[in-house]
Each structure stands twice: as C-alpha cells, then as structure tokens.
Amino acid sequence: MLVILDKLKSSLDIIEQFEATINKPVGHTQAISFVNPYSYLKLRDELNILRGLDGLYTDAISSALTFSMLLGKHIPRTSFDLSSFALYFLERANEEKLKVFLLGAKKEELEKTVAIFKANYPEIEIVGYRDGYFDDDEAVIKQISDSGAEYVLCGMGTPRQDRFAIKLKQTQTGQVKQIYTCGGFLHQTSERLHYYPKWVDKLHLRWLYRAFDDSYVWERLFVHYPKFFFLILGDRLKDQKDIEVNV
C-alpha cells in the first residue's frame, strides 16, 4: 500500500495518542501531521517524511470522504484548529500546565496569537515561540530544546513544516514528546481565538470561508483539488495492481 494511505489507515486515535504522553515519559518524540487534497500533492512522494511520521490524519471533509471510500475504513476529519483537535489539545494543555513551543506565522501575527492564548488558556506554559521565517534550522532546534518544551506546534506550510518536524524529532530523545504540524492555525488565530464562525463550522463551509478570507485558496480549490482527485484514484488503482502482482 502507498505509504501515505497506509499511514492514514494505521494511525492511532489522535486523542488517545496525546493522552498517553501527558505527565508520562515517552520513549521517543512523536511527529504528527495532517493531509488534505493540496498537501497530498506535496507529500505523496516525500517518503522520508511519511515514514518518519508517528501519526497522519486528514483535515478536510473532501479528503476524509475520499480516503474513507478508497480504504474501506472510516477516516474522520481531524484538524489542528479549534473546530477539531486543537480545542481538545489547548484545553488539556491548560488543565495540565503543559510546556508548549509555538513555531510559525509572521512575527507580529505570532505575538498576537501568543497574547490570545495567554488570555484564554493562562495555565499553558508557553516556553518559547518564534516566527516561521528562518534559514538556520539547527539554531531553531537548539532554541526549542533549550526551552524545555514538551509539545511543539509547527505551522509553516507543507512540506516545510513536515520536514522540520522530522528533523526536530531526529534530534530529540523524548524531552519534546510530540510535534504537531498545524498549517495556518497560528496565523489564523492572530485575528481571533475562533477563526471560523459557528455557522460555518456547522455547515462544513470552512473551505469557502477561507477562500474569501485568503485569495490563494481559490487556486487550491480549482487547480489542486481536481488534480488530487485524479491522482488519488490513479495511485489507488496502481497500488491495487501492485498488490495483485505480488500475491
């Protein structure tokens, strides 16, 4: 099976995986990421990244339905935003006073996000943060390691954030328990805590809301999404043929 599809099918429940790390030592740092029609195109051939991930989930309704159909297993939409897993993560991090490092967005955006988090989740220990625009990965990895962070939220876009997450994971021995890629979450939260209005969440119109808020999303919808549906069907058919040949 294609590595990306195998990861989606075999990944553990994200909440259970998170809970298993709280206030407990872990044997190794876990890198967890999310895929949608756009990022599928970016990650499908990045085998080193995919093999290094400890969990892969899909954060779009369209890809969740597509993957569920192709894999014969329910693949739910799971996203690192406040309409999904991020809400649970932040609430539990606040309850348990977890040490979190934030990485991504522009400097002024990230500072606003940090202020919003501190106002709404005052017990989270934000041990460090920095914007996502840098060239020296090693210096940032050292900054994260020196901060004593247990959890890292990494929002720098695919595949940059995924590559960095794996690179950071490879330098750790368990002090950083989990690294979550989070796309535009840190950028979006700089505007307000709940980026999506309730009615948008209820109607599953997050894609349309983002398209009007961020113009580049239109290209993803009309260029990259159709390409995804074409490629994923081809990838799955090829995968099935390879399985039949090797039987």
Side-chain angles (χ1 to χ4, degrees):
M1 181 178 289
L2 288 168
V3 175
I4 194 167
L5 295 180
D6 185 51
K7 283 286 182 180
L8 284 163
K9 191 172 184 177
S10 63
S11 290
L12 302 174
D13 179 86
I14 195 169
I15 289 177
E16 291 179 2
Q17 192 172 10
F18 170 49
E19 285 289 342
T21 69
I22 296 176
N23 297 325
K24 300 172 186 174
V26 297
H28 73 282
T29 299
Q30 300 170 4
I32 297 167
S33 195
F34 305 84
V35 65
N36 54 47
Y38 171 75
S39 55
Y40 180 89
L41 303 179
K42 299 291 185 180
L43 290 176
R44 62 193 285 266
D45 296 321
E46 294 276 0
L47 298 184
N48 288 336
I49 290 176
L50 294 169
R51 288 175 178 141
L53 292 174
D54 299 276
L56 182 64
Y57 306 88
T58 186
D59 57 7
I61 288 290
S62 57
S63 50
L65 293 172
T66 302
F67 292 138
S68 296
M69 178 184 68
L70 294 177
L71 293 172
K73 175 185 177 180
H74 176 57
I75 305 293
R77 173 188 176 266
T78 305
S79 176
F80 204 99
D81 63 30
L82 289 176
S83 71
S84 186
F85 174 67
L87 180 62
Y88 186 89
F89 175 88
L90 292 172
E91 288 178 348
R92 289 291 285 129
N94 193 61
E95 291 170 3
E96 299 292 342
K97 300 179 173 61
L98 302 182
K99 297 177 181 179
V100 180
F101 192 103
L102 309 179
L103 178 65
K106 296 178 181 177
K107 184 176 184 293
E108 59 274 17
E109 292 171 338
L110 188 58
E111 288 172 348
K112 292 178 183 178
T113 296
V114 169
I116 288 172
F117 282 168
K118 286 183 176 179
N120 289 275
Y121 301 102
E123 298 303 318
I124 295 178
E125 190 174 347
I126 299 177
V127 294
Y129 60 90
R130 72 147 297 145
D131 65 81
Y133 297 86
F134 56 87
D135 297 316
D136 190 345
D137 287 3
E138 283 67 29
V140 177
I141 287 171
K142 185 177 186 304
Q143 182 183 356
I144 293 170
S145 298
D146 290 348
S147 73
E150 299 171 298
Y151 301 88
V152 177
L153 307 186
C154 179
M156 299 188 292
T158 304
R160 169 67 169 134
Q161 61 188 9
D162 307 271
R163 289 179 182 143
F164 184 85
I166 297 301
K167 195 170 186 179
L168 173 60
K169 170 186 170 176
Q170 292 170 343
T171 69
Q172 300 297 307
T173 56
Q175 173 199 294
V176 173
K177 296 180 178 181
Q178 291 184 318
I179 308 156
Y180 290 97
T181 68
C182 61
F185 175 64
L186 299 175
H187 153 70
Q188 292 167 357
T189 309
S190 68
E191 298 179 26
R192 54 193 172 276
L193 182 63
H194 291 276
Y195 175 72
Y196 296 109
K198 288 184 179 179
W199 66 270
V200 170
D201 267 338
K202 186 176 181 179
L203 296 175
H204 300 295
L205 292 175
R206 289 173 292 270
W207 59 274
L208 186 59
Y209 185 84
R210 281 204 66 196
F212 280 101
D213 199 40
D214 293 306
S215 58
Y216 69 85
V217 175
W218 289 110
E219 181 182 358
R220 293 188 180 183
L221 292 174
F222 290 106
V223 177
H224 298 112
Y225 275 44
K227 188 175 180 182
F228 159 75
F229 292 116
F230 176 78
L231 283 176
I232 185 62
L233 290 175
D235 286 346
R236 187 56 172 152
L237 286 172
K238 182 179 182 300
D239 192 41
Q240 289 291 91
K241 288 180 180 178
D242 290 343
I243 292 173
E244 291 171 6
V245 168
N246 292 321
V247 170

